[in-house]
Amino acid sequence: MPMQLTGVEVRVLPDADAVAAATAEIVLSAAAEAIAARGAFRLVVAGGTTPMAAYRLLADAEADWAHWHIYHGDERCLPVADADRNSRATDEAWLSRVPIPSEQVHPIPAEQGAEDAAAAYEPVVAAALPFDLVLLGMGEDGHTASLFPGHEILPGPLVMAVHDSPKPPPDRVSLTPSALCRTRQMVVMVTGAAKRPALARWQAGEGLPVARVAAGGSALVLLDQAAMPDTAGEDPDPERG
Ligand code: 6PG
């Protein structure tokens, strides 16, 4: 039975490498289209580990980098140089390797603390809307960006401060659904067996943050086979026995 999730298109790919390759291809074609139509490409990048393989592919790609504008979907309140900053990880995997003008790369100033950083980033996001493409991941609890189950998600602001995040560090800054869903395209990348329970809850119709944002953005959800819930009960590692 094909995987169905409410309000989104689902594409199941063999493995994480295939998800990375498909993501990189979508990013490059969305960029070419946006630059041809509007002279600029406004992209929101995802944090976490899942997108890194796609970013490494983009680092070796040919593109009209001079017209790219990069925004972050969320950030961790850590010093700028901290290895766990999404901005640093994305720079190292990709952005520092391509000639996107530095004034067009917009990290979230999360080192300032969640409230100040959210206030500082709000006008940056407001000036960029609508985005051309938003990239997102999904956590094992069904969070996306830094929008966590059980946390109040404010309808008005485009950017919000986050505290008591169940995923370290506790303080973060996140774009809200009001910002993330104002996009021409959205891609959610989900790989690995650890994501199965959350996908099963999403499939069952639970209003997880990822489900609400993805439906609001008419997302394309790229899964790998290992993440597929309907393989539940099958041992993800038959060799292990
Ligand atoms: C973060 C991310 C977060 C991430 C998910 C999935 O800052 O942690 O923005 O939303 O996308 O937690 O993380 P992985 O890709 O590492 O599984």
Side-chain angles (χ1 to χ4, degrees):
M1 187 184 68
M3 173 77 176
Q4 290 180 325
L5 298 170
T6 308
V8 302
E9 180 194 345
V10 178
R11 199 178 301 164
V12 182
L13 299 165
D15 54 30
D17 288 346
V19 168
T23 301
E25 202 181 307
I26 291 165
V27 171
L28 291 169
S29 63
E33 194 190 309
I35 293 167
R38 293 173 292 279
F41 176 53
R42 292 181 176 79
L43 172 68
V44 174
V45 294
T49 56
T50 304
M52 290 302 144
Y55 297 163
R56 286 189 288 273
L57 293 173
L58 289 165
D60 298 329
E62 294 295 317
D64 183 359
W65 301 112
H67 295 96
W68 289 50
H69 299 254
I70 305 291
Y71 305 85
H72 286 263
D74 71 328
E75 187 57 275
R76 302 147 179 206
C77 292
L78 298 167
V80 172
D82 191 294
D84 288 336
R85 281 273 304 233
N86 288 331
S87 52
R88 179 171 166 191
T90 308
D91 281 353
E92 287 179 353
W94 168 30
L95 301 176
S96 63
R97 302 166 188 270
V98 296
I100 298 173
S102 57
E103 67 275 13
Q104 291 168 208
V105 176
H106 305 277
I108 298 175
E111 65 281 2
Q112 298 174 2
E115 271 70 25
D116 290 355
Y121 211 57
E122 180 85 17
V124 174
V125 171
L129 295 175
F131 297 117
D132 294 298
L133 177 59
V134 168
L135 301 179
L136 291 166
M138 182 194 82
E140 296 176 20
D141 61 356
H143 77 261
T144 193
S146 284
L147 304 170
F148 293 94
H151 281 206
E152 187 193 9
I153 299 176
L154 308 171
L158 301 172
V159 189
M160 61 185 270
V162 175
H163 299 290
D164 305 322
S165 156
K167 180 180 178 180
D171 294 336
R172 292 160 167 260
V173 180
S174 187
L175 269 59
T176 65
S178 303
L180 294 169
C181 297
R182 287 181 59 193
T183 184
R184 292 182 175 87
Q185 266 184 284
M186 180 184 284
V187 171
V188 181
M189 302 159 274
V190 182
T191 63
K195 304 292 172 73
R196 280 188 195 169
L199 272 174
R201 292 166 61 195
W202 186 354
Q203 192 178 26
E206 202 174 317
L208 299 167
V210 67
R212 288 161 47 197
V213 170
S218 306
L220 167 62
V221 180
L222 299 178
L223 306 178
D224 71 353
Q225 198 61 40
M228 283 286 283
D230 59 3
T231 58
E234 260 179 50
D235 183 348
D237 187 358
E239 317 309 314
R240 192 181 48 193

